[in-house]
Amino acid sequence: MSFWNEIPRPIVGLSPMDGVTDASFRYITATVGRPDVILTEFVSVDTAAFAPESLLRDFTYSEVERPIAAQIYGHTPETFYKVAHIVCELGFDGLDINMGCPAKKVAAKGSGAGLIQTPALAREIIRAARQGIRDWAAGQTLAAIGIDGEFVARIRNANRMRCGAEAPAERREIPVSVKTRIGYEAVVVEDWIKNLLEERPAVISIHGRTLMQQYSGSADWSAIARAVEAARGSATLILGNGDLRSLADVYRRVTETGVDGVLLGRAAQGNPWIFRGKLELKDSVKSVCADSVPLPPNVAIEERFSVLLDHCRHFAAWREPHVFVAMRKQLASYIRAVPRAADMRYRMVHVNVLEDVERCLEDYTAALASESFPIRASWNSPPAAALRCG
Ligand SMILES: Cc1cc2nc3c(=O)[nH]c(=O)nc-3n(C[C@H](O)[C@H](O)[C@H](O)COP(=O)(O)O)c2cc1C
């Protein structure tokens, strides 16, 4: 039994989003919304095996995010075998394999959604990852698979910083899951899912689009329903994914398709509150009562700003000053629903440091109280380039 089976259904988890669901985003989402499960952004197995610096940055997490699965991608089984050891050593609760990324630089090399075209290799990769986990659980050291002492020391240090202990208290076998799409060019969901089921992953999460669709059109939930049928009788859980905007959407799709749960992606951007009604949602699904599905939470502006600031503070404490500009896109999504959003957005897309955000919120709050918009005029932050040189 893995942690996945212990979560009351329907499972409502946070979908991985490269460049979005970093350690700060996940920390805030876990603290405010408490999704049932969290997946990291995807990390290339080649980066993971050979570039400790960026691996440890991308795999930074905090205890509040548990259960958390590390998502990896690639196309060489041997590297998956190796990286599975690292994922275990870093104390993750699960290992998720990305077989859904449509980006050219990923899929054209045969990784991500490219694996839909090489089903035998996809299965080999699942087996290699699982074998890596088994061997680690049986006591195999990182040194034994050629990971150098400095890398091991950094992993230990990351563990110590996160939870006070250098290594996981026990060597247990963590579950392997797969996140994928319904096809490459055409929809081939039944054959593809049956192929994956041969390896009995704990979970298959399915985004209801093909690679060719990228993010266009709508997610095909009837294809996801066919995947549920294909998996009937197996121990693998099926999670549906794509275009879910609210818990009402989740209720509808879960009851229509019979999925064991869902992953929410874009709807959680600037909206960690979306997970808040998940317990009531589970009750509604159990009692088949759509009337008791929780409404989207009405978040007061003060709370919205306070969470936004916590998000920025976490990021500022974690990352180097010159990359604070990466917060701009996150900020824009927090303020979508506030009055005079366009005015505020203008300021938010120019912030360079935490103090800019604080000033912007102060100015906005004062302007709201005195009805003295616009607030653009008071803008005088230094450009990001100046910070980088300093
Ligand atoms: C900016 C962005 C980055 C993404 N990065 C990943 C990723 O690293 N791994 C992954 O499995 N899916 C990734 N996805 C796909 C999402 O996890 C999800 O499958 C997709 O957005 C559909 O769900 P949604 O409609 O709830 O957003 C990404 C999506 C977006 C928009």
Side-chain angles (χ1 to χ4, degrees):
M1 273 264 286
S2 73
F3 77 83
W4 289 102
N5 299 90
E6 285 164 16
I7 304 172
R9 295 187 211 173
I11 296 167
V12 185
L14 175 66
S15 212
M17 287 180 287
D18 184 39
V20 179
T21 56
D22 61 11
S24 298
F25 184 105
R26 286 185 271 107
Y27 171 81
I28 287 297
T29 306
T31 317
V32 175
R34 304 215 58 80
D36 285 326
V37 59
I38 285 179
L39 278 72
T40 68
E41 302 165 86
F42 70 170
V43 171
S44 146
V45 284
D46 297 319
T47 302
F50 306 113
E53 199 72 53
S54 77
L55 165 87
L56 292 173
R57 186 195 60 225
D58 293 344
F59 278 169
T60 299
Y61 68 98
S62 39
E63 293 296 310
V64 69
E65 292 172 55
R66 294 193 186 281
I68 177 166
Q71 193 188 67
I72 53 179
Y73 74 94
H75 57 273
T76 46
E78 311 77 56
T79 325
F80 276 87
Y81 174 80
K82 207 168 180 175
V83 173
H85 284 70
I86 299 174
V87 167
C88 292
E89 192 77 25
L90 279 167
F92 281 100
D93 300 298
L95 181 153
D96 190 76
I97 303 175
N98 181 305
M99 299 194 185
C101 179
K104 217 175 191 160
K105 65 175 187 207
V106 174
K109 286 191 186 142
S111 306
L115 285 164
I116 300 173
Q117 289 192 308
T118 51
L121 177 60
R123 288 180 53 184
E124 208 186 318
I125 283 174
I126 299 175
R127 284 199 297 275
R130 184 175 291 130
Q131 193 57 48
I133 291 168
R134 281 196 184 132
D135 290 350
W136 177 85
Q140 180 151 266
T141 63
L142 271 62
I145 54 160
I147 294 180
D148 70 50
E150 198 190 320
F151 196 169
V152 174
R154 282 171 178 233
I155 291 173
R156 297 218 166 113
N157 190 43
N159 285 338
R160 205 180 313 110
M161 306 257 289
R162 191 189 67 250
C163 68
E166 281 195 345
E170 58 167 326
R171 286 189 172 233
R172 64 198 160 91
E173 281 185 33
I174 61 170
V176 175
S177 53
V178 172
K179 182 164 175 291
T180 189
R181 289 187 174 231
I182 55 176
Y184 192 92
E185 280 175 347
V187 177
V188 291
V189 69
E190 286 103 330
D191 287 348
W192 171 232
I193 296 306
K194 279 182 190 151
N195 176 69
L196 295 175
L197 287 171
E198 293 284 322
E199 300 305 331
R200 291 180 290 133
V203 172
I204 303 176
S205 306
I206 309 169
H207 176 191
R209 288 184 174 87
T210 61
L211 169 139
M212 293 305 271
Q213 279 180 284
Q214 302 262 335
Y215 291 90
S216 66
S218 322
D220 180 353
W221 280 82
S222 63
I224 294 174
R226 296 203 298 281
V228 172
E229 274 311 308
R232 199 169 291 287
S234 81
T236 299
L237 305 180
I238 301 291
L239 305 189
N241 169 245
D243 301 346
L244 300 170
R245 297 269 162 265
S246 64
L247 292 186
D249 285 351
V250 175
Y251 176 88
R252 184 173 140 231
R253 294 309 193 183
V254 167
T255 48
E256 273 173 7
T257 62
V259 285
D260 297 294
V262 298
L263 295 180
L264 302 180
R266 289 166 293 179
Q269 276 185 269
N271 186 17
W273 300 274
I274 193 168
F275 296 97
R276 268 204 182 152
K278 70 172 202 253
L279 295 180
E280 293 92 320
L281 169 85
K282 288 173 203 271
D283 286 344
S284 313
V285 171
K286 214 183 286 167
S287 57
V288 202
C289 178
D291 292 346
S292 53
V293 177
L295 294 169
N298 202 356
V299 183
I301 259 187
E302 295 76 15
E303 184 180 359
R304 189 170 289 280
F305 286 179
S306 149
V307 169
L308 180 161
L309 268 180
D310 284 348
H311 190 158
C312 291
R313 286 184 186 125
H314 188 283
F315 191 85
W318 170 48
R319 295 298 308 274
E320 311 78 10
H322 71 270
V323 294
F324 190 83
V325 289
M327 276 303 297
R328 291 172 177 176
K329 63 176 181 290
Q330 307 268 8
L331 298 174
S333 51
Y334 273 106
I335 57 171
R336 268 189 305 243
V338 305
R340 308 293 295 246
D343 201 23
M344 174 96 126
R345 195 172 314 113
Y346 178 84
R347 287 276 296 264
M348 287 298 191
V349 297
H350 288 92
V351 299
N352 293 320
V353 290
L354 173 63
E355 291 70 28
D356 291 341
V357 180
E358 289 169 340
R359 266 201 358 254
C360 173
L361 295 183
E362 279 162 22
D363 291 352
Y364 174 85
T365 309
L368 201 59
S370 60
E371 276 299 321
S372 54
F373 285 96
I375 54 171
R376 296 176 189 197
S378 46
W379 182 255
N380 62 355
S381 177
L387 294 166
R388 199 169 300 136
C389 298

